[in-house]
């Protein structure tokens, strides 16, 4: 469960969801919206970068496979835009080498699909919490 | 393409002016300086791509000036000129970082060719840098910028520590660049090609910590649909960087200690253990001794990590690093945003030098980034750095009279209304520039 305060701060925070599977990205984004957070879904890494440069996201959920670039590449570019952005990398691919590549970017969670939504909620709560404590 | 900027330094006025003219006709943007002092002043004010420097000058010698220039900005290319060439001076100049060497009297064809080559190399370097950043070797591509004694000591320490393979504990306020230091140690170590895995211990939720750190076996819990390596096994043969180590919960501290001692991990839900070979670099912005004394951090783990200790000093204790850092960030921002800001105005630099930077180097970078966003053009002025304008918070009016700021606001808004919202006309009527008007409106949050 997300904290109530998250709802009050909805206008300040937003979650970026990027996945080649547009409907998966959309339903994940809706899940955040239902919990009172702004969220945008896209299948394109370029579009994700454009959105993130307009306003810094609070959290980015990035799948390894996107329509126009590789998810790790997007994670690296987002990292360059914001050294403190919290990122989760998701994948349906179980090869361990991919996990190493993703973790090199500095992520808070690596998740295999189908996603464990409780774990994703825990990440979101933690991110909002540490922002509130002014830790970032 | 932008015109490359070249500074010509020669005490002979006729020669430096001639050179500037010639360079100008070749498509360079040339400026001149007649002495070492003038040259340093010019370089402090604006970014240049290359310097054409006479070796024999009264006062500070050309070689000393060369060293000083390279000290402040490693990225500038310096070509030396001399009337009396000797092998020794040539060697000395190249050793001090000159990129080439020309004999006087100058052969203009040779000079033209050389400047062309210098510019081309420069473009290549920028491309390599951009490419590296793209392939994610970002931290590797970043250097530790700074000329202060503290920074030189830090670089020495990093070089000495890199080869030793022992754990390192980095202390420093937030924004001082602890991760850069950790990455520098990793890249200079024999592990340099293996993974560098950065972890912000404060960002991982407690309930996920164990499986994020040690991985999990398939089926270990309901969401564990596949085996996961976890952070420590991902860093195998490389370095794991544990930032905000003081945020690690007690239960995980015990487990991490065991990993360091036994060099093996057992993933959540797994029967067997896996050997791991990882160097640990930890960092904190708190005083670890205090955290240990308070009982929230295990003493045995602290001893394990505290083999080598590195303190990254806050920016306000190494103010000499501010100008070279500014130069560094301007280059980066110009490249990233496709702009051509050439420097910082003296009063803005003075304000930067006098500021305390509670957010350290990261705050400096953010301030400059904001200045670009505010529309800084040729030069960053004090106006582009609103944080540094010591403006008292909304002063109270005395005896029912409005404050100057309130009166100004009222006047500006009234004139604007009078001109039906036409900002050009309003600015003209007020006798201020359009830019100033926009800035004021921005301050009043009126668009």
């Amino acid at each position: 469960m997300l904290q109530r305060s998250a709802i009050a701060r909805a206008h300040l925070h937003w979650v970026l969801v990027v996945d080649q599977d547009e409907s998966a990205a959309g339903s994940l984004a809706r899940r955040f919206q239902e919990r009172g957070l702004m969220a945008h879904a896209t299948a394109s890494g370029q579009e994700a970068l454009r959105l993130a440069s307009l306003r810094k996201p609070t959290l980015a959920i990035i799948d390894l496979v996107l329509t126009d670039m590789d998810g790790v590449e997007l994670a690296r570019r987002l990292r360059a835009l914001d050294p403190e952005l919290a990122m989760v990398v998701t994948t349906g691919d179980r090869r361990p080498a991919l996990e190493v590549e993703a973790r090199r970017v500095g992520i808070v969670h690596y998740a295999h699909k189908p996603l464990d939504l409780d774990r994703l909620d825990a990440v979101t709560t933690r991110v909002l919490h540490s922002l509130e404590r002014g830790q970032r | 393409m932008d015109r490359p900027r070249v500074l010509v330094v020669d005490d002979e006025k006729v020669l430096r002016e001639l050179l500037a003219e010639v360079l100008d006709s070749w498509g360079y943007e040339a400026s001149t300086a007649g002495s070492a002092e003038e040259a340093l002043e010019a370089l402090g004010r604006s970014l240049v791509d290359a310097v054409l420097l006479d070796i024999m000058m009264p006062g500070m010698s050309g070689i000393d000036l060369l060293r000083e220039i390279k000290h402040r900005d490693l990225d500038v290319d310096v070509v030396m000129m001399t009337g009396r060439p000797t092998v020794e001076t040539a060697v000395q100049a190249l050793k001090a970082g000159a990129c080439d060497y020309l004999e006087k009297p100058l052969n203009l064809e040779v000079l033209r060719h050389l400047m062309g080559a210098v510019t081309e190399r420069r473009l290549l370097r920028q491309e390599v840098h951009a490419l590296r950043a793209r392939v994610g070797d970002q931290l590797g591509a970043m250097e530790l910028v700074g000329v202060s004694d503290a920074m030189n000591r830090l670089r020495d320490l990093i070089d000495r520590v890199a080869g030793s393979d022992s754990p390192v504990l980095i202390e420093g306020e937030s924004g001082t660049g602890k991760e850069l230091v950790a990455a520098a140690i990793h890249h200079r170590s024999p592990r340099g090609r293996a993974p560098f895995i950065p972890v912000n211990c404060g960002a991982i939720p407690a309930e996920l910590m164990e499986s994020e750190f040690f991985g999990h076996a398939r089926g270990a819990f309901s969401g564990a649909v596949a085996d996961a390596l976890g952070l420590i096994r991902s860093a195998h043969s490389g370095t794991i960087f544990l930032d905000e180590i003081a945020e690690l919960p007690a239960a995980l501290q015990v487990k991490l200690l065991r990993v360091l001692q036994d060099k093996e991990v057992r993933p959540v839900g797994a029967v067997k253990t896996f050997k791991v070979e990882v160097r640990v670099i930890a960092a904190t912005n708190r005083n670890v001794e205090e955290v240990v004394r308070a009982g929230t951090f295990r003493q045995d783990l602290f001893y394990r990590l505290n083999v080598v200790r590195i303190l990254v000093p806050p920016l306000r204790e190494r103010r000499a690093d501010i100008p070279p850092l500014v130069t560094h960030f301007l280059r980066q921002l110009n490249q990233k945003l496709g702009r051509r800001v050439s420097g910082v105005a003296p009063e803005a630099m003075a304000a930067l030098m006098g500021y305390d930077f509670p957010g350290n180097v990261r705050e400096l970078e953010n301030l400059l980034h904001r200045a670009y966003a505010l529309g800084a053009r040729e030069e960053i002025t004090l106006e582009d750095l609103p944080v540094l304008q010591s403006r008292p918070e909304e002063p109270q009016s005395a005896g029912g009279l409005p404050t100057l700021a309130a009166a100004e606001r009222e006047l500006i808004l009234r004139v604007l209304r009078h001109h039906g919202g036409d900002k050009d006309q309003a600015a003209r009527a007020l006798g201020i520039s359009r830019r100033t008007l926009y800035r004021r409106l921005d301050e009043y949050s009126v668009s």
Side-chain angles (χ1 to χ4, degrees):
Chain A
M1 276 293 289
L2 297 181
Q3 308 258 310
R4 285 195 78 79
S5 53
I7 295 159
R9 302 174 128 244
H11 60 293
L12 291 173
H13 294 304
W14 75 278
V15 182
L16 175 63
V17 185
V18 203
D19 194 323
Q20 184 189 35
D21 179 347
E22 227 156 332
S23 71
S27 67
L28 194 54
R30 267 192 305 283
R31 195 184 142 85
F32 283 110
Q33 287 158 359
E34 280 158 14
R35 277 160 177 68
L37 280 165
M38 271 202 327
H40 284 285
T42 172
S44 143
Q46 289 298 347
E47 174 66 3
L49 283 168
R50 195 186 66 82
L51 291 169
S53 63
L54 290 176
R55 199 167 97 207
K56 286 183 177 182
T58 312
L59 172 66
I61 320 273
I62 304 158
D63 194 77
L64 284 181
V65 186
L66 313 175
T67 50
D68 51 356
M69 69 173 83
D70 143 19
V72 172
E73 164 80 7
L74 173 63
R76 282 190 192 117
R77 295 219 215 160
L78 288 171
R79 175 60 74 233
L81 280 177
D82 179 1
E84 294 171 328
L85 173 64
M87 291 188 274
V88 171
V89 168
T90 67
T91 182
D93 194 319
R94 292 158 187 208
R95 277 175 295 165
L98 295 175
E99 180 178 345
V100 176
E101 271 317 293
R103 289 202 185 273
R104 288 175 94 146
V105 185
I107 56 175
V108 294
H109 183 40
Y110 185 80
H112 288 116
K113 285 178 170 177
L115 295 179
D116 183 332
L117 296 172
D118 290 341
R119 298 195 137 220
L120 210 51
D121 282 350
V123 169
T124 314
T125 305
R126 179 75 188 183
V127 170
L128 293 173
H129 214 81
S130 47
L131 281 177
E132 265 162 37
R133 285 188 307 169
Q135 264 200 348
R136 287 181 77 207
Chain B
M1 204 193 77
D2 285 336
R3 283 160 35 110
R5 281 178 283 229
V6 183
L7 175 67
V8 181
V9 191
D10 199 308
D11 55 323
E12 258 180 85
K13 188 165 186 277
V14 182
L15 184 71
R16 64 173 185 264
E17 280 174 2
L18 172 78
L19 277 174
E21 225 171 89
V22 170
L23 285 165
D24 208 68
S25 72
W26 291 341
Y28 296 88
E29 196 179 307
S31 53
T32 60
S35 67
E37 290 68 35
E38 266 182 54
L40 289 175
E41 217 224 88
L43 289 168
R45 285 198 51 144
S46 68
L47 292 176
V48 303
D49 299 303
V51 178
L52 213 49
L53 173 58
D54 186 25
I55 245 177
M56 299 289 264
M57 281 193 306
M60 188 192 265
S61 82
I63 295 278
D64 286 340
L65 178 57
L66 163 66
R67 285 205 186 96
E68 189 57 37
I69 292 171
K70 292 304 259 187
H71 196 51
R72 292 177 185 206
D73 184 0
L74 256 177
D75 262 356
V76 68
D77 292 309
V78 185
V79 174
M80 304 297 284
M81 307 180 284
T82 180
R84 269 173 282 155
T86 65
V87 176
E88 292 84 68
T89 47
V91 169
Q92 225 184 342
L94 293 176
K95 265 193 177 160
C99 73
D100 223 313
Y101 194 84
L102 281 174
E103 267 181 46
K104 276 184 182 177
L106 297 175
N107 175 329
L108 286 186
E109 260 323 293
V110 173
L111 176 66
R112 181 175 194 163
H113 181 77
L114 182 63
M115 291 310 293
V118 166
T119 315
E120 198 170 317
R121 268 207 304 270
R122 201 176 176 78
L123 285 173
L124 275 176
R125 263 210 315 270
Q126 279 172 2
E127 252 169 64
V128 168
H129 201 88
L131 273 176
R132 257 205 219 160
R134 268 225 296 279
V135 297
D137 194 10
Q138 237 139 13
L139 290 166
M142 280 187 213
E143 322 108 61
L144 291 159
V145 177
V147 299
S148 63
D149 290 345
M151 212 53 200
N152 288 332
R153 277 197 300 275
L154 183 61
R155 271 189 287 256
D156 274 355
L157 192 54
I158 287 170
D159 282 336
R160 272 184 287 140
V161 166
S164 76
D165 217 38
S166 62
V168 179
L169 183 61
I170 304 172
E171 274 181 298
E173 291 177 13
S174 59
T176 47
K178 297 186 288 292
E179 181 167 350
L180 262 179
V181 171
I185 295 172
H186 169 78
H187 285 289
R188 284 166 177 72
S189 78
R191 297 170 180 271
R193 294 193 162 272
F196 173 80
I197 307 280
V199 186
N200 179 352
C201 299
I204 299 175
E207 54 268 57
L208 264 62
M209 276 225 175
E210 195 175 349
S211 73
E212 282 301 309
F213 270 83
F214 307 118
H216 57 73
R218 182 178 171 187
F221 43 86
S222 59
V225 293
D227 289 348
L229 289 177
L231 291 159
I232 292 173
R233 283 175 69 203
S234 293
H236 181 62
S237 79
T239 306
I240 188 164
F241 171 58
L242 303 172
D243 200 1
E244 293 192 36
I245 186 87
E247 301 296 318
L248 221 54
L252 212 84
Q253 291 176 29
V254 189
K255 289 185 174 138
L256 183 63
L257 182 65
R258 220 170 291 144
V259 170
L260 293 180
Q261 281 168 346
D262 306 341
K263 296 186 189 304
E264 50 185 36
V265 287
R266 186 196 300 274
V268 178
V271 187
K272 61 173 186 172
T273 57
F274 293 85
K275 281 269 163 216
V276 281
E277 208 284 299
V278 170
R279 181 184 202 175
V280 178
I281 302 181
T284 174
N285 53 18
R286 295 161 65 181
N287 181 313
V288 205
E289 265 97 1
E290 264 169 37
V291 186
V292 171
R293 232 176 291 132
T296 50
F297 200 79
R298 291 181 67 97
Q299 196 163 30
D300 42 9
L301 180 57
F302 168 62
Y303 285 140
R304 270 272 163 188
L305 297 172
N306 186 30
V307 178
V308 178
R309 193 143 177 194
I310 295 182
L311 181 72
V312 190
L315 189 53
R316 64 182 168 281
E317 285 174 19
R318 46 184 175 105
R319 291 183 196 273
D321 292 339
I322 294 173
L325 279 166
V326 167
T327 304
H328 172 77
F329 288 131
L330 291 189
R331 276 194 198 291
Q332 241 178 33
L333 289 165
N334 278 343
Q335 208 183 337
K336 210 152 87 179
L337 306 171
R339 299 269 284 279
R340 220 166 127 67
V341 174
S342 70
V344 173
E347 79 275 8
M349 184 55 94
L352 286 170
M353 292 299 282
Y355 184 57
D356 260 351
F357 290 103
N360 292 294
V361 182
R362 183 162 297 151
E363 184 178 9
L364 172 60
E365 184 181 7
N366 290 341
L367 281 183
L368 295 173
H369 201 148
R370 268 204 71 193
Y372 276 68
L374 286 175
R377 288 178 197 288
E378 261 295 286
E379 232 183 17
I380 289 181
T381 63
L382 201 49
E383 286 205 308
D384 300 319
L385 301 166
V387 181
L388 301 190
Q389 295 164 27
S390 40
R391 206 183 321 139
E393 298 284 314
E394 284 296 307
Q396 293 294 308
S397 63
L401 289 169
T403 61
L404 187 57
E408 189 194 59
R409 178 179 195 270
E410 179 53 34
L411 178 66
I412 287 177
L413 293 178
R414 204 190 312 161
V415 171
L416 193 62
R417 269 197 303 274
H418 179 79
H419 288 282
D422 186 330
K423 285 166 191 150
D424 283 5
Q425 281 187 31
R428 236 173 290 136
L430 285 160
I432 57 178
S433 72
R434 253 181 53 187
R435 210 172 134 172
T436 308
L437 177 64
Y438 275 105
R439 213 186 302 280
R440 292 284 184 274
L441 293 176
D442 221 357
E443 279 168 22
Y444 310 146
S445 323
V446 179
S447 53

